[in-house]
Each structure stands twice: as structure tokens, then as C-alpha cells.
């Protein structure tokens, strides 16, 4: 149900280059020894970094010839945390769904905290099982993941310049979308669509947008859609149905409802007032 692994500079004679597990895995990587890829991209990590893998994800491992692995791993099965506080919160730790481009880079001080959490779990495993074991192990895993959430917040700040570039590209792609025929042929723009263009997982992309703008990626798209709608509504020759179709809404009623929710006015009321 749960294990702590210490790689201790081992070099495997045989290893699986492609892996998919039915459990959560967190790898603390202490040295440069190869690449891990998810999908088509390589994880952005070197030494002193954490990589998170959720159940069902497929990862590919490529070790450099002669390199040994240094670091630790935490593995735990979903059944371990059922009915616990962690079980109820596990989906809120978005970094388990960061597909490829962002591992968590940690300082030496942060690494000591990580190892301390791992040591507490290891202590419980070596102590033997009693009625307190599951609760204490789950609590220590939850504490570790809370620390990781804090470390990721710090990393978003220290990589703010990179993230601003992501927001700039997002804005450009969003403008291009509405200037094309995609709204009529594809429909309303989605978070997944822009995350794909930026080669980011939807969760990581959403977190970048939230950190930089204070709004979720979905809210950001909605606001952009409504801004364009306001311009189109001021054209007295365009019907509300035509505007709804041009923006990607399948039904005019859906557009009217979304517009009123955003502005407090129906499209016709907004046109009349302006």
C-alpha cells in the first residue's frame, strides 16, 4: 500500500523504459542521470527536483550509459488514503496532473524537509502496523504534499518572467482564435485547446494563468469573449443570433445568458444603453 525507496546510487542492469502504475509516485531526484518524458515532452528537471506521477499515467525512462540513480521515491496506493483527509483532498494537488514541462525544483533546505517527511513515513513502516499506522502515514503524506504546494507557489514566483511569456502567447492565441473561423467551425475556445498550443498540461496552464492574472484560465477566456461580444453588439446591423454564432455559441439563448451573467444586462439592453 505504501513504500519509501532509497536508490542509493544504484544502476539497474534491466529497467522498464515505459511504465504505468496503479498508484501515486513521487520521485526525489538528487542527480542528473537521464530523462523522464510524459507524452511528447521531457520533464523540466535536473538535480534536487521532484516529479509527481498519478495512477494511470504513462512515463518513459531514458538513463544515460553508466549513470547511477541517486534519490528517493514515495509510492502509495489510492486505497491507502480512502476515507482520510488526504483522500478527500488528493484531487486538489494539481501537480499530479502536470504532464511534462514542470517538475518541482527544490533548494537544499527544502530537500531536508522532504527527506524528513519521508523518514517519518519510513519510521512508521519499520515500526509495524497498529491502529494508528494508516492515519499517521496518510497525515505525513498530506503534510509532504502541502509543503510541495508551497514550494510550487515559490517556483511560480521565481519563474514569473517565463510565466509572463506564457500569458503573452495565450493572449495572442486567443486573439487569433476569434479572428479566424474557428468559433463557427469548432465552437467556443477551451482551456485544453490553448494548453495544447502552449505544450502545457491543462492543470499547469490553469495554475500559471491564475498566479499571473488572479483569474482562472476559463474566466480569462470568458472575459475575452464578452469583451469581443460588447464590440459586436454595438454594430446595429448585426442580430444577436449572428453575434452568438460568430463567437462560437451554439444557441443564442446560451449567449444571452452568459452575457447577462457577465454584465448584468441582456445584449439588447447593453446595445440600447450604449
Amino acid at each position: 500500500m505504501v513504500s519509501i525507496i532509497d536508490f542509493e546510487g544504484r544502476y539497474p542492469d534491466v529497467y522498464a523504459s515505459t511504465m504505468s502504475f496503479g498508484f501515486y509516485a513521487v520521485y526525489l531526484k538528487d542527480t542528473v542521470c537521464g530523462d523522464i518524458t510524459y507524452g511528447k515532452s521531457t520533464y523540466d528537471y535536473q538535480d534536487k527536483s521532484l516529479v509527481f506521477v498519478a495512477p494511470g499515467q504513462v512515463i518513459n525512462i531514458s538513463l544515460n550509459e553508466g549513470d547511477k540513480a541517486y534519490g528517493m521515491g514515495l509510492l502509495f496506493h489510492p486505497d491507502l488514503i480512502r476515507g482520510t483527509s488526504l483522500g478527500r483532498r488528493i484531487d486538489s494537488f494539481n501537480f499530479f496532473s502536470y504532464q511534462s514541462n514542470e517538475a518541482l525544483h527544490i533548494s537544499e533546505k527544502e530537500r531536508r524537509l522532504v527527506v524528513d517527511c519521508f523518514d517519518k513515513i519510513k519510521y512508521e513502516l519499520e515500526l509495524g502496523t497498529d491502529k494508528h499506522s494508516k492515519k499517521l502515514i496518510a497525515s505525513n503524506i498530506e503534510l509532504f504534499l502541502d509543503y510541495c504546494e508551497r514550494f510550487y507557489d515559490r517556483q511560480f514566483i521565481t519563474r514569473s518572467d517565463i510565466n509572463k511569456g506564457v500569458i503573452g502567447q495565450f493572449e495572442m492565441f486567443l486573439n487569433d482564435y476569434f479572428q479566424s473561423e474557428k468559433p463557427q467551425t469548432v465552437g467556443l475556445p477551451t482551456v485544453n485547446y490553448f494548453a495544447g498550443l502552449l505544450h502545457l498540461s491543462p492543470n499547469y496552464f490553469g495554475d500559471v494563468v491564475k498566479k499571473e492574472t488572479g483569474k482562472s484560465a476559463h474566466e480569462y477566456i470568458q472575459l475575452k469573449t464578452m469583451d469581443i461580444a460588447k464590440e459586436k453588439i454595438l454594430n446595429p446591423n448585426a442580430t444577436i443570433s449572428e453575434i452568438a454564432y460568430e463567437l462560437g455559441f451554439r444557441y443564442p439563448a446560451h449567449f444571452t445568458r452568459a452575457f447577462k451573467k457577465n454584465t448584468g444586462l441582456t445584449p439588447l439592453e447593453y446595445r440600447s444603453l450604449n
Side-chain angles (χ1 to χ4, degrees), residues 70-238:
Y70 292 90
M72 300 178 73
L74 163 64
L75 316 174
F76 61 97
H77 196 278
D79 286 348
L80 174 76
I81 61 175
R82 295 194 198 284
T84 67
S85 169
L86 176 57
R88 291 186 288 273
R89 294 184 58 210
I90 191 68
D91 289 339
S92 70
F93 295 109
N94 286 342
F95 40 78
F96 275 109
S97 296
Y98 290 175
Q99 290 183 354
S100 58
N101 295 68
E102 279 294 339
L104 175 58
H105 305 281
I106 56 176
S107 67
E108 182 57 44
K109 190 174 182 180
E110 290 168 344
R111 182 190 177 281
R112 287 197 295 270
L113 273 173
V114 170
V115 172
D116 183 58
C117 289
F118 284 6
D119 283 345
K120 285 183 171 65
I121 297 167
K122 192 175 180 181
Y123 169 81
E124 286 298 323
L125 294 174
E126 291 172 347
L127 190 65
T129 305
D130 60 28
K131 65 180 182 179
H132 303 289
S133 300
K134 177 178 176 177
K135 179 182 177 182
L136 288 169
I137 290 171
S139 295
N140 277 297
I141 294 174
E142 186 172 13
L143 175 64
F144 160 66
L145 295 177
D146 281 334
Y147 273 123
C148 291
E149 200 162 42
R150 171 189 275 179
F151 299 158
Y152 256 117
D153 282 346
R154 182 264 308 150
Q155 183 161 294
F156 277 121
I157 293 170
T158 56
R159 293 189 162 201
S160 183
D161 288 344
I162 297 172
N163 294 339
K164 283 183 172 61
V166 170
I167 299 300
Q169 287 183 290
F170 174 34
E171 182 70 25
M172 180 186 70
F173 287 140
L174 196 49
N175 288 330
D176 289 346
Y177 191 93
F178 282 110
Q179 289 169 11
S180 71
E181 294 183 356
K182 283 189 174 66
Q184 295 89 49
T185 58
V186 179
L188 289 166
T190 65
V191 173
N192 285 3
Y193 173 80
F194 293 110
L197 287 178
L198 292 162
H199 307 292
L200 299 172
S201 69
N203 274 357
Y204 182 78
F205 170 62
D207 287 346
V208 168
V209 175
K210 184 74 172 179
K211 298 294 181 186
E212 290 297 319
T213 70
K215 299 178 179 64
S216 70
H218 181 67
E219 288 171 335
Y220 196 95
I221 292 170
Q222 280 188 321
L223 287 172
K224 182 69 174 180
T225 305
M226 291 301 109
D227 282 344
I228 294 172
K230 290 172 185 176
E231 290 295 325
K232 290 182 177 293
I233 287 169
L234 296 183
N235 174 9
N237 297 320

